[in-house]
Amino acid sequence: FYLTPSQVNSILKANEYSFKVPEFDGKNVSSVLGFDSNQLPANAPIEDRRSAATCLQTRGMLLGVFDGHAGCACAQAVSERLFYYIAVSLLPHETLLEIENAVESGRALLPILQWHKHPNDYFSKEASKLYFNSLRTYWQELIDLNSGETTDVREALINAFKRLDNDISLEAQVGDANSFLNYLVLRVAFSGATACVAHVDGIDLHVANTGDSRAMLGVQEEDGSWSAVNLSYDHNAQNEREVERVKMEHPKSEEKSLVKQDRLLGLLMPFRAFGDVKFKWSIELQKRVIESGPDQLNDNEYTKFIPPNYYTPPYLTAEPEVIHHRLRPQDKFLVLATDGLWETMHRQDVARIVGEYLTGVHHQQPIAVGGYKVTLGQMHGLLTERRARISSVFEDQNAATHLIRHAVGNNEFGTVDHERLSKMLSLPEELARMYRDDITIIVVQFNSHVIGAY
């Protein structure tokens, strides 16, 4: 199909969301100005999720992207639960006590998070009680463990990731009397999800990453050009340190079978993930849970097989790698995105496209056609396209949408080719997945004045 520009726009903008941090007395006191986010599905239904929330009882803002595999159940659960675990891990002892006392006496709870959600971002109402009870057990343990020390953000992030993954596993083992919930907790545990989460508090930026989504900082150099700083490392076969880590955790006799065809046990691309109990539980436990589970679970091919060469589980962990960065005035924005973006674009191009979008300078740049022999006709085309861009004063009001437009529609000159974009967006569901993955992006804009004042 040939899509008109307005049809292309309505597809690209369907899931966009923007949030501006409110000002106080006309002044902006946060190091975050706001964020734009968007998603473009390739799978039906989309397996990516995103989350953003302001922490109300501690300072800071949480933002994250989650990439599901073997279905969207695990990504969904992690997207609605992980931030609560992080927030609770960061709370001081007195606040935890206040919350526990409120639950005990049936009083209204202190709100912990203010969510910033797109209307399409779904919350599973049916599981909320189960999720709440698991979270409460966690904060009760934190109260009992009270060491009197303030929690380090890095530690809080690691504890929250590991604890949530542990709860996902436990809920699936215990099951639920309600058959719908029983099937839900099993689907969550048997599917998997990677997570890349940022916590921004003043000039302290922490990124916790599990899997192969990425965080990247956009930096404006003194000459006005843009550069990219990686704030996460992919946990996959391309990361030699990660391959070494996996090998260290298993006997030497398994060395050859651990990573095959760049996959964990020849099956899984990411080497760290939530859920995926097929790579964590013993064979006995897997069989016991599947046999006592609902019939739908038995019909699912994915749950039946045991990974090959499965001798010393767990082979997979949800423990994140945490990177801390002190923000500087030249750090202008942060991009969090699932691997669907990074498969199509280099981080340097991402930094330039977002940087120029945010500063509105790409109209004045001389046209670069990098080493190509360009005919007059092509040059004319590039100039006409630029004029059209200026006249529409940015067809995109959202930086994440702007980036998706480039990721899907870029031609060899690095400009968006409408025909290519139209073709890519009109692919039928079963074909789309062969050309690209789900793409989910959050672009966080920093406030240089506030950061400079620190």
Side-chain angles (χ1 to χ4, degrees):
F1 297 109
Y2 184 77
L3 304 174
T4 65
S6 70
Q7 287 171 317
V8 164
N9 279 348
S10 69
I11 293 171
L12 287 180
K13 296 179 183 206
N15 297 310
E16 68 179 12
Y17 178 85
S18 291
F19 175 75
K20 294 277 166 279
V21 173
E23 294 182 351
F24 296 96
D25 301 331
K27 279 207 287 292
N28 201 312
V29 291
S30 167
S31 57
V32 174
L33 283 170
F35 70 86
D36 290 338
S37 81
N38 200 352
Q39 296 188 293
L40 182 68
N43 291 297
I46 185 169
E47 294 184 344
D48 281 6
R49 294 292 184 271
R50 59 181 163 180
S51 293
T54 302
C55 300
L56 296 173
Q57 305 304 327
T58 54
R59 299 204 323 244
M61 194 167 190
L62 285 164
L63 305 112
V65 295
F66 311 95
D67 186 350
H69 45 264
C72 59
C74 188
Q76 176 60 42
V78 174
S79 74
E80 46 182 295
R81 301 179 72 179
L82 181 58
F83 287 6
Y84 282 115
Y85 280 71
I86 295 171
V88 162
S89 307
L90 287 166
L91 288 176
H93 187 245
E94 308 77 79
T95 315
L96 287 173
L97 277 174
E98 271 177 62
I99 292 174
E100 177 55 28
N101 291 335
V103 178
E104 276 284 297
S105 57
R107 290 198 313 275
L109 280 191
L110 288 172
I112 298 178
L113 295 172
Q114 177 196 352
W115 290 92
H116 310 299
K117 295 189 93 58
H118 184 279
N120 294 357
D121 294 343
Y122 156 84
F123 253 109
S124 53
K125 301 267 188 296
E126 303 81 6
S128 58
K129 195 169 182 326
L130 171 78
Y131 291 173
F132 178 80
N133 289 338
S134 294
L135 182 68
R136 185 182 177 190
T137 306
Y138 179 40
W139 82 55
Q140 286 170 337
E141 284 175 30
L142 290 174
I143 290 172
D144 295 342
L145 286 170
N146 172 35
S147 56
E149 293 162 29
T150 51
T151 318
D152 165 64
V153 177
R154 184 175 177 279
E155 219 173 299
L157 288 163
I158 292 172
N159 293 343
F161 273 61
K162 284 163 72 174
R163 177 59 182 237
L164 173 57
D165 192 53
N166 195 45
D167 283 355
I168 285 171
S169 171
L170 210 58
E171 288 157 2
Q173 290 172 50
V174 172
D176 198 284
N178 171 331
S179 60
F180 173 83
L181 272 183
N182 195 28
Y183 184 45
L184 177 81
V185 294
L186 289 163
R187 268 186 37 224
V188 169
F190 277 93
S191 59
T194 67
C196 187
V197 170
H199 179 268
V200 194
D201 176 8
I203 54 169
D204 287 305
L205 166 61
H206 286 84
V207 172
N209 181 52
T210 287
D212 51 10
S213 292
R214 272 183 216 169
M216 181 213 91
L217 199 60
V219 181
Q220 190 163 30
E221 304 298 343
E222 281 178 9
D223 64 359
S225 67
W226 294 94
S227 65
V229 175
N230 271 353
L231 288 181
S232 68
Y233 299 105
D234 293 357
H235 299 134
N236 58 21
Q238 273 61 59
N239 179 341
E240 284 170 23
R241 281 208 336 256
E242 193 62 9
V243 174
E244 277 315 300
R245 177 191 67 80
V246 171
K247 287 182 177 168
M248 292 284 291
E249 290 173 4
H250 298 277
K252 203 144 180 62
S253 56
E254 291 185 57
E255 204 166 327
K256 288 197 163 55
S257 58
L258 280 171
V259 179
K260 279 190 153 164
Q261 288 153 336
D262 282 352
R263 291 168 180 256
L264 189 63
L265 297 181
L267 296 166
L268 199 62
M269 288 282 268
F271 285 15
R272 303 190 194 195
F274 283 91
D276 280 319
V277 292
K278 301 280 322 160
F279 296 85
K280 293 172 181 171
W281 289 356
S282 68
I283 293 176
E284 299 73 54
L285 179 58
Q286 291 189 38
K287 286 187 168 149
R288 188 170 61 87
V289 169
I290 288 164
E291 278 161 17
S292 61
D295 295 340
Q296 300 108 298
L297 199 67
N298 284 315
D299 303 340
N300 184 336
E301 286 308 307
Y302 179 69
T303 54
K304 278 213 191 93
F305 80 95
I306 300 291
N309 304 304
Y310 197 75
Y311 309 113
T312 53
Y315 288 90
L316 191 63
T317 176
E319 180 168 337
E321 195 170 4
V322 179
I323 290 180
H324 172 246
H325 175 83
R326 286 178 78 83
L327 290 170
R328 311 156 300 172
Q330 63 265 42
D331 299 332
K332 300 299 182 187
F333 59 88
L334 171 74
V335 176
L336 298 171
T338 53
D339 62 349
L341 174 69
W342 311 110
E343 282 166 5
T344 59
M345 288 185 91
H346 189 272
R347 64 174 183 271
Q348 199 47 55
D349 294 329
V350 170
R352 180 184 54 77
I353 287 166
V354 175
E356 290 176 358
Y357 168 84
L358 293 175
T359 51
V361 300
H362 73 311
H363 303 323
Q364 295 88 34
Q365 298 282 353
I367 284 186
V369 287
Y372 286 101
K373 285 195 170 66
V374 180
T375 64
L376 273 176
Q378 285 168 322
M379 197 63 186
H380 176 71
L382 289 169
L383 287 165
T384 332
E385 193 212 346
R386 164 176 291 188
R387 202 164 56 235
R389 265 214 308 251
I390 296 171
S391 67
S392 73
V393 195
F394 276 140
E395 45 204 9
D396 297 321
Q397 256 70 70
N398 179 303
T401 309
H402 189 66
L403 204 43
I404 290 176
R405 189 183 296 276
H406 277 270
V408 179
N410 263 4
N411 60 16
E412 67 271 30
F413 300 120
T415 58
V416 175
D417 174 346
H418 178 77
E419 199 169 320
R420 178 179 163 79
L421 195 54
S422 165
K423 278 182 187 154
M424 290 295 280
L425 293 179
S426 60
L427 287 170
E429 275 166 15
E430 59 278 10
L431 273 180
R433 191 60 195 85
M434 292 162 68
Y435 288 91
R436 58 180 177 82
D437 197 355
D438 296 329
I439 301 176
T440 298
I441 301 172
I442 300 177
V443 180
V444 186
Q445 205 178 342
F446 296 122
N447 188 336
S448 307
H449 301 300
V450 170
I451 291 167
Y454 271 89

